[in-house]
Amino acid sequence: MSEVDDTQTLDREQLRRLFDLRSSYNAHSGGDYTDDPYPMWAQLRARAAVHEGTVHELTGHAGAASFHGLPFPDRPHFSAFSFASCDTAYRDDEVFASSPDAAGPEADDISVTSSMLSMGGARHRRYRSLVQPSFVPAKAQWWIANWIERTVHLLIDGFVDDGRAELNVDFAAAIPVLTITGSFGVPVEQALVIRESLQRPMEIVEMLEPIVAARREKPRDDLISVLVEAEYTDDDGVTHRLSDAEVYSFAMLLLAAGSGTTWKQMGITITALLQRPDVLAAVREDRQLLRSAIEESLRWMPTDPMFSRWVTRDVDFHGVQLPRGAVLHLCIGAANRDPARWVRPEQFDVRRAPKPTLAFGSGPHICIGMHVARAEMAVGIGALLDRLPNLRLDPDAEPPRFIGMYERGATAIPVLFG
Amino acid sequence: MPDQERTREIAVDRELCMGSGMCIVYAPGTFAHDEATKAIVIDPMGDAIDAVRIAIEACPTGALSLTSEEERG
Ligand code: SF4
């Protein structure tokens, strides 16, 4: 892939501005929250599985927030904090729909909200089965060989001789964007423009239009080709293909859902390891542990600790009356530390036996990118361990802190090596 | 008990399976996908029973069930 050969031309200042958790770009999702929400979540969860109110209000964060399910000022809001309640709501998409309009959006409206994220029932199943084959575990190697590995090593090439680096923005942030845009066939100079244009979907569509047209003409070994060629025959024998608008919407969903989350989760994992040099040394020794460390980071501090569902009929849920039309916020951050499911849940412990968490959700809308995200983190962190001996936090720099309410992540991760 | 008498039967509901691959994460010796991206059982004894139970619990759409388990030792 010659497109990613010039990674060094990425403008680091632009990267920093776009990915700074505290910048105004991210303030809308509670980027100005700097406390540790977990003690309050533990109290709330201990008191009741489900509470009236939003997660940020109940946590004591006064700022306005817009995120999945927020603000919707005209609807009643409830929040679930236990594993069992969040898991049940995720799995029951008839009572707990993934969008306010359970019927789903109009097909020719291009945006993330018109993607399958907000579709329900059969329509979601049909659409998802067209794209799912590119995102199964067996396809992880395709993503790694085509886009992830090269991106990761080019980024490390950029700082390997310096003896120091800032891993959050200069490394973790760039990997998912370049992986996804690379899989679209978008040249690297345009990758950051795409990141910047996320709020203006028509600009991204303009960039994708010629690529989609070219791949319909002559497919290549990339994601857009897979999307335009995907076929699905339903039970009535009708064959479905994705329209151009559906390809654009899916591309936008991948960018919106995949780039920020994987970046921040990788930063959280790297930080958790650097803060525990003995654990880092153990992972360096035994690479089997890297996978467990990634799973543990997803449990211990999922970057998006809340997603929402819309209640489609009056229901008594864990002792609380939820009226039809209410928004139920699922605090998976709290659910993932439920003592009913994990021993010493507050502890970051890479030696836990495998057990599913809610970091990628559950039910029919479970994160389609989860295996690609895991591959990006494993290849990225594995390469850091391979190439940067004696990797450690820079003792003279400000240590990384975890911030953010609905998009959590590390501040900066200044490291030394060699 | 001799090996050939140990059995385990795992059912996949193909209607419910949406190809998430969660089962393959937790029990890669037992599950795989077919061409339709539906889960199939490649070897019912391919993983420890604990891993199989975790995989069944992990399935986001409840498509998997352990229909019989007669393992000793
Ligand atoms: S976890 Fe469930 S939905 Fe996912 S592939 Fe396995 S059986 Fe299918």
Side-chain angles (χ1 to χ4, degrees), chain A residues 138-160:
Chain A
K139 267 282 179 181
Q141 202 49 48
W142 179 73
W143 285 88
I144 291 171
N146 280 319
W147 301 290
I148 301 173
E149 203 138 60
R150 192 175 291 256
T151 303
V152 160
H153 284 288
L154 283 166
L155 288 166
I156 297 178
D157 288 346
F159 54 69
V160 69

Side-chain angles (χ1 to χ4, degrees), chain A residues 61-118:
Chain A
H61 182 59
S66 86
F67 196 67
H68 193 221
L70 291 168
F72 291 92
D74 300 333
R75 291 171 185 263
H77 291 258
F78 297 84
S79 297
F81 290 88
S82 71
F83 183 91
S85 59
C86 292
D87 191 52
T88 307
Y90 265 132
R91 287 168 182 271
D92 185 351
D93 73 330
E94 268 171 40
V95 177
F96 302 100
S98 68
S99 77
D101 172 16
E106 294 304 314
D108 51 359
D109 167 25
I110 299 162
S111 71
V112 169
T113 50
S114 82
S115 71
M116 65 178 171
L117 199 63
S118 40

Side-chain angles (χ1 to χ4, degrees), chain A residues 91-373:
Chain A
R91 287 168 182 271
D92 185 351
D93 73 330
E94 268 171 40
V95 177
F96 302 100
S98 68
S99 77
D101 172 16
E106 294 304 314
D108 51 359
D109 167 25
I110 299 162
S111 71
V112 169
T113 50
S114 82
S115 71
M116 65 178 171
L117 199 63
S118 40
M119 291 177 191
R123 183 159 174 230
H124 172 262
R125 282 178 64 92
R126 192 168 59 234
Y127 189 109
R128 179 147 176 166
S129 61
L130 280 165
V131 292
Q132 183 72 48
S134 303
F135 294 87
V136 294
K139 267 282 179 181
Q141 202 49 48
W142 179 73
W143 285 88
I144 291 171
N146 280 319
W147 301 290
I148 301 173
E149 203 138 60
R150 192 175 291 256
T151 303
V152 160
H153 284 288
L154 283 166
L155 288 166
I156 297 178
D157 288 346
F159 54 69
V160 69
D161 295 328
D162 299 348
R164 61 172 63 238
E166 191 290 291
L167 294 180
N168 202 32
V169 168
D170 291 349
F171 184 68
I175 294 168
V177 183
L178 295 181
T179 298
I180 297 170
T181 52
S183 78
F184 294 168
V186 168
V188 71
E189 315 83 71
Q190 280 184 330
L192 290 189
V193 182
I194 284 199
R195 164 78 197 176
E196 208 159 15
S197 313
L198 270 180
Q199 318 292 335
R200 300 182 300 279
M202 287 323 289
E203 290 179 24
I204 299 185
V205 170
E206 272 167 36
M207 267 181 260
L208 290 176
E209 243 170 3
I211 299 173
V212 171
R215 298 301 187 274
R216 284 210 192 272
E217 202 54 30
K218 192 168 178 292
R220 284 206 218 161
D221 188 24
D222 64 17
L223 185 69
I224 300 290
S225 305
V226 173
L227 295 179
V228 299
E229 294 212 290
E231 261 185 14
Y232 167 80
T233 307
D234 67 20
D235 294 339
D236 302 326
V238 182
T239 301
H240 298 267
R241 279 193 156 204
L242 295 176
S243 66
D244 282 5
E246 285 172 322
V247 171
Y248 302 145
S249 291
F250 183 65
M252 231 94 74
L253 169 64
L254 272 194
L255 278 167
S259 49
T261 47
T262 310
W263 152 45
K264 281 173 231 161
Q265 196 68 51
M266 190 171 337
I268 288 168
T269 313
I270 293 170
T271 302
L273 290 173
L274 287 165
Q275 287 172 335
R276 296 165 181 78
D278 53 323
V279 180
L280 182 67
V283 171
R284 192 188 276 284
E285 273 302 297
D286 175 7
R287 291 302 171 81
Q288 294 296 321
L289 276 180
L290 179 52
R291 224 189 97 179
S292 322
I294 291 165
E295 295 304 310
E296 178 64 349
S297 134
L298 286 160
R299 181 196 72 81
W300 181 72
M301 196 175 290
T303 177
D304 290 350
M306 185 281 276
F307 278 91
S308 303
R309 289 295 183 260
W310 281 262
V311 180
T312 61
R313 60 173 162 82
D314 294 355
V315 62
D316 180 340
F317 191 60
H318 289 262
V320 178
Q321 289 298 324
L322 306 180
R324 177 173 191 273
V327 187
L328 178 65
H329 305 283
L330 310 179
C331 187
I332 60 172
N336 275 358
R337 295 195 190 184
D338 191 333
R341 189 169 168 85
W342 285 279
V343 187
R344 295 182 310 281
E346 309 299 330
Q347 206 175 318
F348 179 85
D349 178 0
V350 301
R351 296 185 192 274
R352 287 179 194 278
K355 195 177 242 190
T357 78
L358 294 179
F360 292 114
S362 187
H365 290 269
I366 194 165
C367 176
I368 195 170
M370 63 181 162
H371 307 298
V372 179

Side-chain angles (χ1 to χ4, degrees), chain A residues 132 136-137 363 366 370-371, chain B residues 11-14 16-26 31-33 37-40 55-64:
Chain A
Q132 183 72 48
V136 294
I366 194 165
M370 63 181 162
H371 307 298
Chain B
V12 181
D13 184 326
R14 293 178 62 86
L16 287 176
C17 173
M18 38 82 80
S20 72
M22 279 291 264
C23 53
I24 299 168
V25 168
Y26 291 101
F31 299 102
H33 280 140
T37 322
K38 300 280 184 188
I40 48 169
I56 291 169
E57 189 213 313
C59 175
T61 54
L64 301 173

